[in-house]
Amino acid sequence: MRLRLATALLGATLGASTLPPAPPASAQHAPALPDRGYAWVHSGSAVQDENFYLLTLLERVPEYRAAILASPRLARIKAERAQRIAAALAGCGAESARCRVEAMLWRPEEIDAVGAALATDPRIAGIAARHLRPSGAFQRHAAKGDADLIRAAWADAAAGMNRIYRVFGLAEAPRYPKIDSGDFKPDDPAFGRLLAEAADIGARGMPADASVFAEPLQFALTLLYLNDRELVRISTPLERRENAAAVARVAGTAWSRYPYASILVLGSGPGTLGTGISAIGKLRTMRAAQLYREGKAPFLIVSGGAVHPVHTDIFEAMSMKRELVERYGIPASAVLIEPAARHTTTNFRNAARLIFRYGLPMDRPSIVTSSASHITGVASDGFGQRLDAELGYQPIVRGRQLGPYEMEWRALPAALHRDAQDPLDP
């Protein structure tokens, strides 16, 4: 009875948006306008491309790769780094996992030297305008000049590799240790032997003209692989698979018929293996179906990755979509899935990315629905502080809480920025 009463009262409150209008595009995106039509460069590894797109560009775009290989400064850094690593391994045993991982860490002076070499090479300068800015993947640095943007993008990549080394090689605690930690201990001799063989096998497949980035990047990606932490692969490219039918409808949508662009449904990870959707998640999809039937928005975005319990292979967003389609009869072409988010902060960020990527209007508000306590939390000042702490920026504008289960929000271009320091969902 209380649930029905609250729902009835809420239905009357969902009227016109109270969010301030979005600024004009020239102001909202200034000084850099990401391009929905940008043609992404691919390395063959979705994990690499999502986490280290700068390095994919430097490896796969012929003119940049040629510049990297022809740079005497980068060749010197590569040689000095190789000598340093070899000396470290000789001093503490090549089969020591801790020794190997600590030796692989990028040192501050190496990061600075590589950044300077990249930022001052005229053959690489065009990468900023041609790729870094239009991709949106470096959006936090969009206000920087081209040279500083290149330098910052490289510093992010180096920090991302170091983060992977520390969490998945040295067992340092990530922000959420219960779900994001690695599986190995750095002082376990078996792990040391595993990494020694991984390095040897990797070296055997390394081309003679490998860049200064190739070995450290491969080591980082191998650590993710050995720890079964490649979940980011599922987020690419959904528009050709699970989201294809919905994406096809976007261009023909009569947006003026709806008060909101989308209805975001937050996940609530099931805690047992084999469970696709929790009891709380079932109530969230129930409310989402009500909102869709009321005509609040033409699309639902269900957000939730393979998170709870650790190493589950069930992606919650897929389970929520199935629930909406099979139980409530919502058209599959009205449901977009976002199956990468691991936390509430990235539920919003990743949904904002889909809104941009698929062409939903960013100047129109959306609503988010979840459990009552969850919505109260995301509407609070504390959640804004959490966004700053975890992401370093605000990927959305939060509006008023409309009732016990809904809040208004609007996507911002800042959400497009990728961060390899959260490699499971950058």
Side-chain angles (χ1 to χ4, degrees), residues 221-240:
L221 296 177
T222 299
L223 280 172
L224 292 177
Y225 179 43
L226 295 177
N227 281 271
D228 289 326
R229 293 301 191 175
E230 295 186 306
L231 295 174
V232 71
R233 290 184 305 170
I234 198 65
S235 65
T236 63
L238 292 170
E239 60 268 24
R240 295 202 296 267

Side-chain angles (χ1 to χ4, degrees), residues 25-154:
S26 58
Q28 182 179 354
H29 296 286
L33 180 64
D35 181 5
R36 283 195 182 102
Y38 170 73
W40 292 87
V41 176
H42 301 288
S43 68
S45 166
V47 181
Q48 173 178 325
D49 298 343
E50 291 290 315
N51 282 284
F52 300 106
Y53 190 55
L54 172 68
L55 303 189
T56 291
L57 292 169
L58 295 176
E59 285 186 349
R60 295 290 171 163
V61 178
E63 63 185 286
Y64 304 142
R65 177 168 173 77
I68 294 298
L69 298 181
S71 169
R73 296 170 70 181
L74 292 176
R76 184 173 62 253
I77 296 168
K78 178 184 175 183
E80 292 174 351
R81 180 177 162 83
Q83 291 173 1
R84 174 178 68 75
I85 292 173
L89 294 178
C92 61
E95 292 189 354
S96 166
R98 183 178 297 279
C99 177
R100 183 175 296 278
V101 176
E102 289 178 344
M104 287 299 295
L105 287 164
W106 286 96
R107 293 183 172 179
E109 61 271 20
E110 294 171 342
I111 297 173
D112 291 343
V114 171
L118 294 176
T120 58
D121 191 327
R123 297 165 296 183
I124 297 175
I127 197 173
R130 296 173 194 164
H131 295 282
L132 305 188
R133 297 189 189 282
S135 73
F138 308 91
Q139 193 64 18
R140 284 187 66 186
H141 309 305
K144 299 179 185 292
D146 286 356
D148 286 339
L149 172 57
I150 294 170
R151 195 187 306 267
W154 156 247

Side-chain angles (χ1 to χ4, degrees), residues 238-261:
L238 292 170
E239 60 268 24
R240 295 202 296 267
R241 300 195 305 268
E242 289 86 351
N243 287 340
V247 171
R249 285 187 55 232
V250 171
T253 298
W255 298 103
S256 61
R257 293 174 52 193
Y258 304 93
Y260 298 102

Side-chain angles (χ1 to χ4, degrees), residues 177-199:
K178 290 184 179 180
I179 58 173
D180 293 341
S181 293
D183 296 330
F184 299 100
K185 303 299 182 185
D187 297 318
D188 181 354
F191 186 38
R193 291 190 292 272
L194 184 69
L195 289 187
E197 288 199 6

Side-chain angles (χ1 to χ4, degrees), residues 233-306:
R233 290 184 305 170
I234 198 65
S235 65
T236 63
L238 292 170
E239 60 268 24
R240 295 202 296 267
R241 300 195 305 268
E242 289 86 351
N243 287 340
V247 171
R249 285 187 55 232
V250 171
T253 298
W255 298 103
S256 61
R257 293 174 52 193
Y258 304 93
Y260 298 102
S262 67
I263 301 163
L264 171 61
V265 192
L266 301 181
S268 173
T272 56
L273 286 172
T275 301
I277 184 170
S278 68
I280 295 175
K282 291 177 180 179
L283 291 180
R284 294 179 184 180
T285 56
M286 182 188 298
R287 181 60 186 147
Q290 292 171 351
L291 292 169
Y292 177 80
R293 288 169 175 168
E294 291 169 10
K296 299 304 180 186
F299 296 99
L300 293 133
I301 302 175
V302 288
S303 177

Side-chain angles (χ1 to χ4, degrees), residues 384-415:
Q385 295 165 5
R386 181 178 166 190
L387 287 167
D388 280 332
E390 295 186 16
L391 304 180
Y393 59 90
Q394 297 289 314
I396 62 170
V397 174
R398 290 176 301 138
R400 66 172 178 169
Q401 183 174 347
L402 299 170
Y405 308 113
E406 279 80 40
M407 181 190 77
E408 290 183 332
W409 68 285
R410 190 176 67 240
L412 293 176

